[in-house]
Amino acid sequence: MIYELAALPGDGIGPEVTTQARKVLNKAAQKLGFTIKWRDFPFGAAYYLAQGHVLPKGALDDIGSCQALLLGAVGDPRVPPGPLERELLLALRFHFDQYLNIRPAKSFPNVPLPRPLGPGEKLDIVVVRENTEDFYMGLGGLLGPQKTNHEIAATRKLYQFKASLTATLDPELNGTFSVGLLTEPAIRRIAKKAYSLAVARGDKIVHVATKANALPDFYGYWDRITRQEAENFPEIKAIHINVDNLCYQLPRDPNGFGVILCPNLFGDIVSDLVSALAGGLGLAASGNLGDGLAMFEPVHGSAPDIAGTGKANPLAAILSGALLLESLNLKAAANLVERAVVGYLAEGRNLPRELGGPATVERVGELVLAQMDQYEP
Ligand code: IPM
Ligand code: MG
């Protein structure tokens, strides 16, 4: 069996960490008798600066002809925040309708936790982040003292959204506004995913992040639909919790948290918080999934300050690779990769620089590869 996979290494440490992840995936393939054909896509800051556009015409369809995408990171100090994130990363998520953003945060051996676990405690949280709506729609504009007219439009797989707004700011003020959007089918499908995942894990509780106290029309609607959807899962109790309270409770006592369902913006924030609880972004993997092309990326971003220094930790990219294999139903290969990462960390020698060890990004890759020989797939 041949799998054609897209690689988009991107910016900063993206190329270094995805190089290691690719080696590990290639080895898993070799051990389990399948073949990976990588297709490289050069997009990111360098491409944008040289070409003047983020993506050429047809690029998304080209990427979409692959079976999955491994992404490194986007973001570069030479490019102001915005174009790369919106026209590359978010464009991929929206174009392929990757509505499920899954971000596991597990404790690993020899990875120190900011709040050490007591006996019998475990940290095994998954943030299920809605990935297409909320304030990530990116809709809005600038306001001024003169009347302004705004035609707002966005296309998603589920719908086309259009709105017109006439606005004035009186007295003479300047400002900006942003329109968030939550739709019933988008809430239902992500809630279904979160509750099904909890059932598959054998959990009894799903925490649903909200902020209905401050925005009752908006997040109250999220609550209503997520509650309705929970009725189809009698084995699950959905506990709605304001996201500020959630951010307070999690560091104090992460026990009792498993699946956390979040709208897009809160999911972005909460997933960084839980990855800190699990020992840092260096191990935080993620998958962006829908009914089409799925994309896998470490949560850590491009970390331009350490690019090229060897300090990057490739484990998040490698674990994202394991999620990629799982999405293609290559469970044995995914397990092999995960066990190799756990086995390497458990030895506690030659840890990544990020974890206080001496191993460079490349050396960590080699050590994970070496572990793979020790396990029967
Ligand atoms: C993430 C990142 C992105 C996001 C940025 C780079 C746009 O923070 O994947 O968590 O906000 O989704
Ligand atoms: Mg983020």
Side-chain angles (χ1 to χ4, degrees):
M1 188 77 182
I2 299 176
Y3 292 88
E4 193 165 271
L5 302 184
L8 204 165
D11 303 324
I13 61 171
E16 306 162 37
V17 297
T18 47
T19 298
Q20 302 313 315
R22 283 165 66 158
K23 285 193 214 159
V24 170
L25 264 54
N26 289 342
K27 177 140 186 163
Q30 183 209 325
K31 286 188 96 63
L32 282 139
F34 61 93
T35 304
I36 299 178
K37 232 175 89 193
W38 290 99
R39 282 188 61 197
D40 271 281
F41 292 90
F43 310 125
Y47 181 93
Y48 173 63
L49 291 170
Q51 306 292 327
H53 54 252
V54 175
L55 281 176
K57 262 202 165 28
L60 289 172
D61 290 335
D62 227 13
I63 294 173
S65 70
C66 297
Q67 278 150 292
L69 164 62
L70 180 68
L71 180 106
V74 298
D76 184 292
R78 291 169 299 171
V79 181
L84 293 173
E85 290 82 355
R86 284 214 70 85
E87 289 166 46
L88 184 52
L89 179 65
L90 298 178
L92 285 162
R93 289 179 186 165
F94 299 159
H95 180 84
F96 295 109
D97 197 32
Q98 296 163 343
Y99 63 89
L100 167 66
N101 187 190
I102 187 144
R103 299 188 155 185
K106 287 190 258 193
S107 44
F108 286 93
N110 287 309
V111 178
L113 306 185
R115 177 196 176 280
L117 296 175
E121 289 184 0
K122 67 171 186 157
L123 198 131
D124 187 5
I125 296 175
V126 187
V127 172
V128 171
R129 168 183 178 190
E130 199 291 322
N131 218 19
T132 64
E133 299 196 318
D134 199 16
F135 289 101
Y136 272 67
M137 297 300 292
L139 298 172
L142 291 175
L143 299 171
Q146 268 80 44
K147 188 152 105 178
T148 47
N149 294 310
H150 303 266
E151 298 301 323
I152 294 168
T155 302
R156 293 290 181 273
K157 181 98 177 292
L158 291 173
Y159 51 78
Q160 288 200 326
F161 174 68
K162 285 200 178 94
S164 313
L165 184 111
T166 304
T168 46
L169 264 178
D170 189 16
E172 295 208 350
L173 296 172
N174 293 311
T176 178
F177 74 100
S178 184
V179 172
L181 190 70
L182 294 169
T183 63
E184 182 182 343
I187 302 173
R188 284 203 192 284
R189 65 182 181 176
I190 194 67
K192 204 174 276 171
K193 288 283 180 194
Y195 302 144
S196 314
L197 175 65
V199 171
R201 284 164 50 104
D203 291 0
K204 302 237 165 336
I205 288 173
V206 170
H207 287 92
V208 184
T210 179
K211 192 63 194 164
N213 59 351
L215 296 172
D217 290 336
F218 194 64
Y219 291 117
Y221 187 75
W222 163 266
D223 287 3
R224 181 141 60 89
I225 305 299
T226 51
R227 276 203 184 99
Q228 280 175 11
E229 208 49 52
E231 287 167 16
N232 300 325
F233 294 82
E235 56 279 67
I236 295 295
K237 187 171 168 185
I239 299 180
H240 288 70
I241 174 168
N242 284 318
V243 68
D244 49 346
N245 186 16
L246 179 70
C247 291
Y248 178 73
Q249 301 296 340
L250 273 168
R252 283 174 67 89
D253 185 5
N255 271 301
F257 288 97
V259 175
I260 303 178
L261 169 60
C262 297
N264 207 345
L265 180 59
F266 301 157
D268 176 49
I269 299 163
V270 171
S271 60
D272 271 31
L273 175 67
V274 296
S275 79
L277 295 176
L281 282 167
L283 282 127
S286 80
N288 302 268
L289 301 108
D291 302 323
L293 181 88
M295 167 169 90
F296 299 83
E297 43 164 343
V299 182
H300 51 56
S302 61
D305 51 321
I306 59 162
T309 63
K311 284 188 194 162
N313 181 353
L315 293 176
I318 294 171
L319 290 168
S320 301
L323 292 176
L324 183 156
L325 294 172
E326 210 177 306
S327 78
L328 296 173
N329 242 333
L330 297 163
K331 294 226 163 64
N335 274 338
L336 177 65
V337 172
E338 256 193 64
R339 274 158 62 200
V341 169
V342 173
Y344 154 62
L345 288 169
E347 286 197 347
R349 282 180 283 121
N350 293 316
L351 289 171
R353 301 273 286 273
E354 190 211 15
L355 298 173
T360 61
V361 58
E362 213 180 321
R363 184 84 185 112
V364 176
E366 286 167 10
L367 290 163
V368 173
L369 288 175
Q371 284 284 330
M372 293 173 83
D373 287 323
Q374 299 180 26
Y375 298 101
E376 280 307 309

